[in-house]
Coordinates of all heavy atoms in Angstrom, one line a residue:
M1495 N -19.5 -8.4 12.1 CA -18.3 -7.7 11.6 C -18.3 -7.7 10.1 O -18.4 -8.7 9.4 CB -17.0 -8.4 12.1 CG -15.8 -7.9 11.5 SD -14.2 -8.5 12.2 CE -14.2 -10.2 11.8
E1496 N -18.2 -6.4 9.6 CA -18.1 -6.2 8.1 C -16.7 -6.5 7.6 O -15.7 -6.0 8.3 CB -18.5 -4.8 7.8 CG -18.5 -4.5 6.3 CD -18.9 -3.1 6.0 OE1 -19.6 -2.5 6.7 OE2 -18.4 -2.6 4.9
C1497 N -16.5 -7.2 6.5 CA -15.2 -7.5 6.0 C -15.2 -7.3 4.5 O -16.0 -7.9 3.8 CB -14.8 -8.9 6.4 SG -13.1 -9.3 5.9
T1498 N -14.4 -6.4 4.0 CA -14.3 -6.2 2.5 C -12.8 -6.4 2.2 O -11.9 -6.0 2.9 CB -14.7 -4.7 2.2 OG1 -16.0 -4.5 2.7 CG2 -14.7 -4.5 0.7
S1499 N -12.6 -6.9 1.0 CA -11.2 -7.2 0.6 C -10.9 -6.7 -0.8 O -11.8 -6.4 -1.6 CB -10.9 -8.6 0.7 OG -11.7 -9.4 -0.2
G1500 N -9.6 -6.5 -1.1 CA -9.1 -6.0 -2.4 C -7.8 -6.7 -2.6 O -7.2 -7.3 -1.7
W1501 N -7.3 -6.6 -3.9 CA -6.1 -7.3 -4.3 C -5.3 -6.5 -5.2 O -5.9 -5.8 -6.1 CB -6.5 -8.6 -5.0 CG -5.4 -9.5 -5.3 CD1 -4.8 -9.7 -6.5 CD2 -4.8 -10.4 -4.4 NE1 -3.8 -10.6 -6.4 CE2 -3.8 -11.1 -5.2 CE3 -4.9 -10.8 -3.1 CZ2 -2.9 -12.1 -4.6 CZ3 -4.1 -11.7 -2.6 CH2 -3.1 -12.4 -3.3
F1502 N -4.0 -6.5 -5.1 CA -3.1 -5.8 -6.1 C -2.1 -6.8 -6.6 O -1.5 -7.5 -5.8 CB -2.5 -4.6 -5.4 CG -1.4 -4.0 -6.3 CD1 -1.7 -3.2 -7.3 CD2 0.0 -4.3 -6.1 CE1 -0.7 -2.6 -8.2 CE2 1.0 -3.8 -6.9 CZ 0.6 -2.9 -7.9
S1503 N -1.8 -6.7 -7.8 CA -0.7 -7.5 -8.4 C 0.2 -6.6 -9.3 O -0.4 -5.7 -10.0 CB -1.2 -8.6 -9.3 OG -0.2 -9.2 -10.0
D1504 N 1.5 -6.8 -9.3 CA 2.3 -5.9 -10.2 C 2.7 -6.7 -11.4 O 3.6 -6.3 -12.2 CB 3.6 -5.4 -9.4 CG 4.5 -6.5 -9.1 OD1 4.2 -7.7 -9.3 OD2 5.6 -6.2 -8.6
K1505 N 2.1 -7.8 -11.7 CA 2.4 -8.6 -12.9 C 2.3 -7.8 -14.1 O 1.3 -7.1 -14.4 CB 1.4 -9.8 -12.9 CG 1.8 -10.8 -14.1 CD 0.9 -12.0 -14.0 CE 1.3 -13.0 -15.1 NZ 0.5 -14.2 -15.0
G1506 N 3.4 -7.8 -14.9 CA 3.4 -7.1 -16.2 C 3.7 -5.6 -16.1 O 3.9 -4.9 -17.1
R1507 N 3.9 -5.0 -14.9 CA 4.2 -3.6 -14.8 C 5.6 -3.3 -15.1 O 5.9 -2.2 -15.6 CB 3.9 -3.1 -13.3 CG 2.5 -3.0 -13.0 CD 2.3 -2.5 -11.6 NE 0.9 -2.0 -11.4 CZ 0.6 -0.8 -11.5 NH1 1.4 0.2 -11.6 NH2 -0.7 -0.4 -11.3
D1508 N 6.6 -4.2 -14.8 CA 8.0 -4.0 -15.1 C 8.5 -5.2 -15.9 O 8.6 -6.3 -15.3 CB 8.8 -3.9 -13.8 CG 10.2 -3.6 -14.0 OD1 10.7 -3.7 -15.2 OD2 10.9 -3.3 -13.0
P1509 N 8.8 -5.1 -17.2 CA 9.2 -6.2 -18.0 C 10.5 -6.9 -17.5 O 10.7 -8.1 -17.8 CB 9.4 -5.6 -19.4 CG 9.3 -4.2 -19.3 CD 8.8 -3.8 -17.9
E1510 N 11.3 -6.2 -16.7 CA 12.5 -6.8 -16.2 C 12.3 -7.6 -14.9 O 13.1 -8.4 -14.5 CB 13.6 -5.7 -15.9 CG 14.0 -5.0 -17.2 CD 15.0 -3.9 -17.0 OE1 15.7 -4.0 -15.9 OE2 15.2 -3.1 -17.8
K1511 N 11.2 -7.4 -14.3 CA 10.9 -8.1 -13.0 C 10.1 -9.4 -13.4 O 9.1 -9.4 -13.9 CB 10.0 -7.2 -12.1 CG 9.7 -7.8 -10.8 CD 9.0 -6.8 -9.9 CE 8.6 -7.4 -8.6 NZ 7.5 -8.4 -8.7
K1512 N 10.7 -10.5 -13.0 CA 10.2 -11.8 -13.4 C 9.1 -12.3 -12.4 O 8.1 -12.9 -12.8 CB 11.3 -12.9 -13.5 CG 12.4 -12.5 -14.5 CD 11.9 -12.4 -15.9 CE 13.0 -12.1 -16.8 NZ 12.6 -11.3 -18.0
D1513 N 9.3 -12.1 -11.1 CA 8.4 -12.6 -10.1 C 7.2 -11.6 -9.9 O 7.5 -10.4 -9.8 CB 9.1 -12.9 -8.8 CG 10.2 -14.0 -8.9 OD1 10.0 -14.9 -9.8 OD2 11.2 -13.9 -8.2
E1514 N 6.1 -12.1 -9.7 CA 4.9 -11.3 -9.4 C 4.8 -11.0 -7.9 O 5.1 -11.9 -7.1 CB 3.6 -12.1 -9.8 CG 2.3 -11.4 -9.5 CD 1.1 -12.2 -10.0 OE1 1.3 -13.3 -10.4 OE2 0.0 -11.6 -9.9
S1515 N 4.5 -9.8 -7.5 CA 4.2 -9.4 -6.1 C 2.7 -9.2 -6.0 O 2.1 -8.7 -6.9 CB 5.0 -8.2 -5.8 OG 6.4 -8.4 -5.9
N1516 N 2.2 -9.5 -4.8 CA 0.8 -9.4 -4.5 C 0.6 -8.7 -3.2 O 1.4 -8.9 -2.2 CB 0.1 -10.7 -4.5 CG 0.1 -11.4 -5.9 OD1 -0.5 -11.0 -6.8 ND2 1.0 -12.4 -6.0
L1517 N -0.5 -7.9 -3.1 CA -0.9 -7.3 -1.8 C -2.4 -7.7 -1.7 O -3.2 -7.5 -2.6 CB -0.7 -5.8 -1.8 CG 0.7 -5.3 -1.9 CD1 0.6 -3.8 -2.0 CD2 1.5 -5.7 -0.7
A1518 N -2.7 -8.1 -0.5 CA -4.2 -8.3 -0.2 C -4.5 -7.2 0.8 O -3.8 -7.0 1.8 CB -4.4 -9.7 0.5
F1519 N -5.7 -6.6 0.6 CA -6.2 -5.5 1.5 C -7.5 -6.1 2.1 O -8.4 -6.4 1.3 CB -6.4 -4.3 0.7 CG -5.2 -3.7 0.1 CD1 -4.9 -4.0 -1.2 CD2 -4.4 -2.8 0.7 CE1 -3.7 -3.5 -1.8 CE2 -3.3 -2.3 0.1 CZ -2.9 -2.6 -1.2
I1520 N -7.5 -6.2 3.4 CA -8.7 -6.7 4.1 C -9.2 -5.6 5.0 O -8.5 -5.3 6.0 CB -8.4 -8.0 4.8 CG1 -7.9 -9.0 3.8 CG2 -9.7 -8.5 5.5 CD1 -7.2 -10.2 4.5
Y1521 N -10.4 -5.0 4.7 CA -10.9 -4.0 5.6 C -11.9 -4.6 6.6 O -12.8 -5.2 6.2 CB -11.6 -2.9 4.8 CG -12.2 -1.8 5.6 CD1 -11.4 -0.9 6.2 CD2 -13.6 -1.7 5.8 CE1 -12.0 0.1 7.0 CE2 -14.1 -0.8 6.6 CZ -13.3 0.2 7.2 OH -13.9 1.1 8.0
K1522 N -11.5 -4.5 7.8 CA -12.4 -5.0 8.9 C -12.8 -3.8 9.7 O -12.2 -2.8 9.7 CB -11.6 -6.0 9.8 CG -11.1 -7.2 9.0 CD -10.3 -8.2 9.9 CE -9.9 -9.4 9.0 NZ -9.0 -10.3 9.8
D1523 N -13.9 -3.9 10.4 CA -14.6 -2.8 11.1 C -13.7 -1.6 11.4 O -14.0 -0.5 11.1 CB -15.3 -3.3 12.4 CG -16.5 -4.2 12.0 OD1 -17.1 -3.9 11.0 OD2 -16.7 -5.2 12.7
L1524 N -12.6 -1.8 12.1 CA -11.8 -0.7 12.6 C -10.5 -0.5 12.0 O -9.7 0.4 12.3 CB -11.7 -0.8 14.2 CG -12.9 -0.8 15.0 CD1 -12.7 -1.0 16.4 CD2 -13.7 0.6 14.8
Y1525 N -10.1 -1.4 11.1 CA -8.7 -1.3 10.6 C -8.6 -1.9 9.2 O -9.5 -2.7 8.7 CB -7.7 -2.0 11.5 CG -7.9 -3.5 11.7 CD1 -7.4 -4.4 10.9 CD2 -8.7 -3.9 12.8 CE1 -7.6 -5.8 11.1 CE2 -8.9 -5.2 13.0 CZ -8.3 -6.2 12.2 OH -8.5 -7.5 12.4
L1526 N -7.6 -1.6 8.5 CA -7.2 -2.2 7.2 C -6.0 -3.1 7.4 O -5.0 -2.6 7.9 CB -6.9 -1.1 6.2 CG -6.4 -1.6 4.8 CD1 -7.5 -2.2 4.0 CD2 -5.8 -0.4 4.0
E1527 N -6.1 -4.3 7.1 CA -5.0 -5.3 7.2 C -4.4 -5.5 5.8 O -5.1 -5.7 4.8 CB -5.5 -6.6 7.8 CG -4.3 -7.5 8.0 CD -4.7 -8.7 8.9 OE1 -5.9 -8.9 9.2 OE2 -3.8 -9.5 9.1
V1528 N -3.1 -5.4 5.7 CA -2.4 -5.6 4.5 C -1.5 -6.8 4.6 O -0.7 -6.9 5.6 CB -1.5 -4.3 4.1 CG1 -0.7 -4.6 2.8 CG2 -2.4 -3.1 4.0
I1529 N -1.6 -7.7 3.7 CA -0.8 -8.9 3.7 C -0.1 -9.0 2.3 O -0.7 -8.9 1.3 CB -1.6 -10.2 3.9 CG1 -2.4 -10.1 5.2 CG2 -0.8 -11.4 3.8 CD1 -3.5 -11.1 5.4
S1530 N 1.3 -9.1 2.3 CA 2.0 -9.1 1.1 C 2.6 -10.5 0.8 O 2.8 -11.3 1.7 CB 3.1 -8.1 1.1 OG 4.1 -8.4 2.1
A1531 N 2.8 -10.7 -0.5 CA 3.5 -12.0 -0.9 C 4.5 -11.6 -2.0 O 4.2 -10.9 -2.9 CB 2.5 -12.9 -1.5
N1532 N 5.8 -12.0 -1.7 CA 6.9 -11.7 -2.6 C 7.0 -10.2 -2.9 O 7.2 -9.7 -4.0 CB 6.7 -12.4 -4.0 CG 7.9 -12.4 -4.8 OD1 9.0 -12.4 -4.3 ND2 7.7 -12.3 -6.1
A1533 N 6.9 -9.4 -1.9 CA 6.9 -7.9 -2.0 C 8.1 -7.3 -1.3 O 8.1 -6.1 -1.0 CB 5.6 -7.3 -1.6
E1534 N 9.1 -8.1 -0.9 CA 10.2 -7.6 -0.1 C 10.9 -6.4 -0.8 O 11.4 -5.5 -0.1 CB 11.2 -8.7 0.2 CG 10.6 -9.8 1.1 CD 9.7 -10.8 0.4 OE1 9.8 -10.9 -0.9 OE2 9.0 -11.5 1.1
H1535 N 11.1 -6.4 -2.1 CA 11.8 -5.4 -2.8 C 11.1 -4.0 -2.7 O 11.7 -3.0 -3.0 CB 12.1 -5.8 -4.2 CG 10.8 -6.1 -5.0 ND1 10.2 -7.4 -4.9 CD2 10.1 -5.4 -5.8 CE1 9.2 -7.4 -5.7 NE2 9.1 -6.2 -6.2
Y1536 N 9.8 -4.0 -2.3 CA 9.1 -2.7 -2.1 C 9.3 -2.2 -0.7 O 9.0 -1.0 -0.5 CB 7.6 -2.9 -2.4 CG 7.2 -3.1 -3.8 CD1 6.7 -4.3 -4.2 CD2 7.4 -2.2 -4.8 CE1 6.3 -4.5 -5.6 CE2 7.1 -2.4 -6.1 CZ 6.5 -3.5 -6.5 OH 6.2 -3.7 -7.8
H1537 N 9.8 -2.9 0.1 CA 10.0 -2.5 1.5 C 11.2 -1.5 1.6 O 12.2 -1.7 0.8 CB 10.3 -3.7 2.5 CG 9.1 -4.6 2.5 ND1 9.2 -5.8 3.1 CD2 7.9 -4.6 2.1 CE1 8.1 -6.5 3.0 NE2 7.3 -5.7 2.4
G1538 N 11.1 -0.6 2.5 CA 12.2 0.4 2.6 C 13.1 0.0 3.8 O 13.1 -1.1 4.3
R1539 N 13.8 1.0 4.3 CA 14.7 0.7 5.5 C 13.8 0.5 6.7 O 13.1 1.4 7.2 CB 15.5 2.0 5.8 CG 16.5 2.2 4.7 CD 17.4 3.4 5.0 NE 18.3 3.6 4.0 CZ 18.8 4.8 3.6 NH1 18.4 5.8 4.2 NH2 19.7 4.9 2.7
R1540 N 13.8 -0.8 7.1 CA 13.0 -1.2 8.3 C 11.5 -0.9 8.1 O 10.8 -0.7 9.1 CB 13.5 -0.7 9.6 CG 14.9 -1.3 9.9 CD 15.3 -0.8 11.2 NE 16.1 0.4 11.0 CZ 16.6 1.2 11.9 NH1 16.3 1.0 13.2 NH2 17.3 2.3 11.6
A1541 N 11.0 -0.8 6.9 CA 9.6 -0.5 6.7 C 9.0 -1.7 5.9 O 9.6 -2.3 5.0 CB 9.5 0.7 5.8
Y1542 N 7.9 -2.1 6.3 CA 7.2 -3.3 5.7 C 5.8 -2.9 5.4 O 5.2 -2.0 6.0 CB 7.2 -4.5 6.7 CG 8.6 -4.8 7.1 CD1 9.2 -4.3 8.2 CD2 9.4 -5.7 6.3 CE1 10.5 -4.6 8.6 CE2 10.7 -6.0 6.6 CZ 11.3 -5.5 7.7 OH 12.5 -5.8 8.1
L1543 N 5.2 -3.6 4.5 CA 3.8 -3.3 4.1 C 2.8 -4.0 5.0 O 1.7 -3.6 5.2 CB 3.6 -3.7 2.6 CG 4.5 -3.0 1.6 CD1 4.4 -3.7 0.2 CD2 4.1 -1.5 1.5
D1544 N 3.2 -5.2 5.4 CA 2.3 -6.1 6.2 C 1.9 -5.4 7.5 O 2.8 -4.8 8.2 CB 2.9 -7.4 6.5 CG 3.2 -8.2 5.2 OD1 2.3 -8.9 4.8 OD2 4.3 -8.0 4.7
G1545 N 0.7 -5.5 7.9 CA 0.3 -5.0 9.2 C -1.2 -4.6 9.2 O -1.9 -4.7 8.2
R1546 N -1.6 -4.0 10.3 CA -2.9 -3.5 10.5 C -2.8 -1.9 10.6 O -2.0 -1.4 11.3 CB -3.5 -4.0 11.8 CG -3.9 -5.4 11.7 CD -4.5 -5.9 13.0 NE -4.9 -7.3 12.8 CZ -5.4 -8.1 13.8 NH1 -5.5 -7.5 15.0 NH2 -5.7 -9.3 13.6
Y1547 N -3.6 -1.3 9.8 CA -3.5 0.2 9.7 C -4.9 0.7 10.3 O -5.9 0.3 9.8 CB -3.3 0.6 8.3 CG -2.0 0.2 7.7 CD1 -1.8 -1.1 7.2 CD2 -0.9 1.1 7.8 CE1 -0.5 -1.5 6.7 CE2 0.3 0.7 7.3 CZ 0.5 -0.6 6.8 OH 1.7 -1.0 6.3
F1548 N -4.8 1.7 11.2 CA -5.9 2.3 11.8 C -6.0 3.8 11.4 O -5.0 4.5 11.4 CB -5.8 2.2 13.3 CG -5.9 0.8 13.9 CD1 -4.8 0.0 13.9 CD2 -7.1 0.3 14.3 CE1 -4.8 -1.3 14.4 CE2 -7.2 -1.0 14.8 CZ -6.1 -1.8 14.9
K1549 N -7.2 4.2 11.1 CA -7.4 5.6 10.8 C -7.4 6.4 12.1 O -8.2 6.1 13.0 CB -8.7 5.8 10.0 CG -9.0 7.2 9.6 CD -10.3 7.3 8.8 CE -10.6 8.7 8.4 NZ -11.8 8.8 7.6
V1550 N -6.6 7.4 12.2 CA -6.5 8.2 13.4 C -7.1 9.6 13.3 O -7.5 10.2 14.3 CB -5.1 8.3 14.0 CG1 -4.6 6.9 14.4 CG2 -4.2 8.9 13.0
A1551 N -7.3 10.1 12.1 CA -7.9 11.4 11.8 C -8.2 11.5 10.4 O -7.6 10.9 9.5 CB -6.9 12.5 12.3
S1552 N -9.1 12.4 10.1 CA -9.4 12.7 8.7 C -8.4 13.7 8.1 O -7.8 14.5 8.8 CB -10.8 13.4 8.6 OG -11.8 12.6 9.1
L1553 N -8.1 13.5 6.8 CA -7.2 14.4 6.1 C -7.9 15.7 5.8 O -9.0 15.7 5.3 CB -6.7 13.8 4.8 CG -5.8 12.5 5.0 CD1 -5.5 12.0 3.6 CD2 -4.6 12.8 5.8
D1554 N -7.1 16.8 5.9 CA -7.7 18.1 5.5 C -7.7 18.1 3.9 O -6.9 17.3 3.3 CB -6.9 19.3 6.0 CG -5.5 19.3 5.6 OD1 -5.2 19.6 4.4 OD2 -4.6 19.0 6.5
P1555 N -8.5 18.9 3.3 CA -8.5 18.9 1.8 C -7.2 19.0 1.1 O -6.9 18.4 0.1 CB -9.5 20.0 1.4 CG -10.3 20.2 2.6 CD -9.4 19.9 3.8
E1556 N -6.3 19.9 1.6 CA -5.0 20.1 1.0 C -4.1 18.8 1.1 O -3.5 18.4 0.1 CB -4.3 21.3 1.6 CG -2.9 21.5 1.0 CD -2.2 22.7 1.7 OE1 -2.8 23.5 2.4 OE2 -1.0 22.8 1.5
T1557 N -4.1 18.2 2.2 CA -3.3 17.0 2.4 C -3.9 15.8 1.6 O -3.2 15.1 1.0 CB -3.2 16.6 3.9 OG1 -2.7 17.7 4.6 CG2 -2.3 15.4 4.1
Q1558 N -5.2 15.7 1.5 CA -5.9 14.7 0.7 C -5.5 14.9 -0.7 O -5.2 13.9 -1.4 CB -7.4 14.8 0.9 CG -8.1 13.6 0.2 CD -9.6 13.6 0.4 OE1 -10.1 14.6 1.0 NE2 -10.2 12.6 0.1
S1559 N -5.4 16.1 -1.2 CA -5.1 16.3 -2.6 C -3.6 15.9 -2.9 O -3.4 15.3 -3.9 CB -5.2 17.8 -2.9 OG -4.7 18.1 -4.2
L1560 N -2.7 16.2 -1.9 CA -1.3 15.7 -2.1 C -1.2 14.2 -2.1 O -0.4 13.6 -2.9 CB -0.5 16.3 -1.0 CG -0.2 17.8 -1.0 CD1 0.5 18.2 0.3 CD2 0.6 18.1 -2.2
V1561 N -1.9 13.5 -1.2 CA -1.9 12.1 -1.2 C -2.4 11.5 -2.5 O -1.8 10.6 -3.0 CB -2.7 11.6 0.0 CG1 -2.9 10.1 0.0 CG2 -2.0 12.0 1.3
L1562 N -3.5 12.0 -3.0 CA -4.1 11.5 -4.2 C -3.1 11.7 -5.4 O -2.9 10.9 -6.2 CB -5.5 12.1 -4.5 CG -6.6 11.7 -3.6 CD1 -7.8 12.6 -3.8 CD2 -6.9 10.3 -3.7
K1563 N -2.5 12.9 -5.5 CA -1.6 13.2 -6.5 C -0.4 12.3 -6.5 O 0.1 11.8 -7.5 CB -1.1 14.7 -6.4 CG -0.2 15.1 -7.5 CD 0.2 16.6 -7.2 CE 1.2 17.1 -8.3 NZ 1.6 18.4 -8.0
A1564 N 0.1 12.0 -5.3 CA 1.3 11.1 -5.1 C 0.9 9.7 -5.5 O 1.7 9.0 -6.1 CB 1.8 11.1 -3.6
G1565 N -0.3 9.3 -5.2 CA -0.8 8.0 -5.6 C -0.9 7.8 -7.1 O -0.6 6.8 -7.7
Q1566 N -1.3 8.9 -7.8 CA -1.5 8.8 -9.2 C -0.1 8.9 -9.9 O 0.1 8.2 -10.9 CB -2.4 9.9 -9.7 CG -3.8 9.8 -9.3 CD -4.6 11.0 -9.5 OE1 -4.1 12.1 -9.7 NE2 -5.9 10.8 -9.3
S1567 N 0.8 9.7 -9.4 CA 2.1 9.8 -10.1 C 3.1 8.8 -9.6 O 4.1 8.6 -10.3 CB 2.7 11.2 -9.8 OG 3.1 11.3 -8.4
G1568 N 2.9 8.2 -8.4 CA 3.9 7.3 -7.9 C 5.0 7.9 -7.2 O 6.0 7.3 -6.8
K1569 N 4.9 9.2 -7.0 CA 6.0 10.0 -6.3 C 5.4 10.6 -5.1 O 4.5 11.4 -5.1 CB 6.6 11.1 -7.2 CG 7.3 10.5 -8.5 CD 7.8 11.6 -9.3 CE 8.5 11.0 -10.5 NZ 9.0 12.1 -11.4
S1570 N 6.1 10.3 -4.0 CA 5.6 10.9 -2.7 C 6.3 12.3 -2.5 O 7.4 12.5 -2.8 CB 6.1 10.0 -1.5 OG 5.9 10.6 -0.3
Q1571 N 5.5 13.2 -1.9 CA 6.0 14.5 -1.5 C 7.0 14.4 -0.3 O 7.8 15.2 -0.1 CB 4.9 15.4 -1.1 CG 3.9 15.7 -2.2 CD 4.5 16.5 -3.3 OE1 5.2 17.4 -3.1 NE2 4.1 16.1 -4.5
A1572 N 7.0 13.3 0.4 CA 7.8 13.1 1.6 C 9.2 12.7 1.2 O 10.1 12.8 2.0 CB 7.2 12.0 2.5
V1573 N 9.4 12.2 0.0 CA 10.7 11.7 -0.5 C 11.2 12.5 -1.7 O 10.5 12.4 -2.7 CB 10.6 10.2 -0.8 CG1 12.0 9.7 -1.3 CG2 10.1 9.3 0.3
P1574 N 12.3 13.2 -1.6 CA 12.8 14.0 -2.7 C 13.2 13.1 -3.9 O 13.6 12.0 -3.7 CB 13.9 14.8 -2.2 CG 14.2 14.2 -0.8 CD 13.1 13.3 -0.4
D1575 N 13.1 13.6 -5.1 CA 13.5 12.9 -6.3 C 14.9 12.6 -6.4 O 15.7 13.3 -5.9 CB 13.0 13.6 -7.6 CG 11.5 13.6 -7.7 OD1 10.9 12.7 -7.3 OD2 11.0 14.6 -8.3

């Protein structure tokens, strides 16, 4: 089984936020597992980051472009400003 991992920390991103939040990304053969620490304030209404994510289909080029743009800007097309 192939296993690759990554890490995200928001330390220093917001001067008003004192506690650091972390996300661990662990890619295992068929899924991406996300484990969070001190990230509750990023959760939405009954939405959580922790879990196993499975790829169900490839994105078409237009949708992939929207996802990349949202990731770079921090603004989702799914949620109005």
Side-chain angles (χ1 to χ4, degrees):
M1495 170 171 63
E1496 180 182 333
C1497 184
T1498 306
S1499 63
W1501 187 262
F1502 170 79
S1503 168
D1504 69 353
K1505 185 174 184 177
R1507 287 180 163 260
D1508 182 353
E1510 295 181 22
K1511 184 175 175 289
K1512 304 297 182 212
D1513 297 330
E1514 178 181 6
S1515 297
N1516 296 288
L1517 295 174
F1519 300 91
I1520 304 163
Y1521 180 72
K1522 298 179 182 177
D1523 290 325
L1524 298 173
Y1525 61 88
L1526 175 70
E1527 185 168 3
V1528 178
I1529 303 168
S1530 66
N1532 191 34
E1534 294 79 16
H1535 57 279
Y1536 287 117
H1537 299 170
R1539 294 183 180 148
R1540 291 184 269 172
Y1542 303 92
L1543 300 169
D1544 297 273
R1546 291 181 177 174
Y1547 296 83
F1548 293 83
K1549 182 178 179 179
V1550 295
S1552 296
L1553 295 177
D1554 61 71
E1556 181 181 343
T1557 305
Q1558 184 176 12
S1559 175
L1560 289 173
V1561 170
L1562 291 172
K1563 183 178 176 184
Q1566 292 168 348
S1567 70
K1569 296 181 180 178
S1570 170
Q1571 297 294 321
V1573 180
D1575 291 330

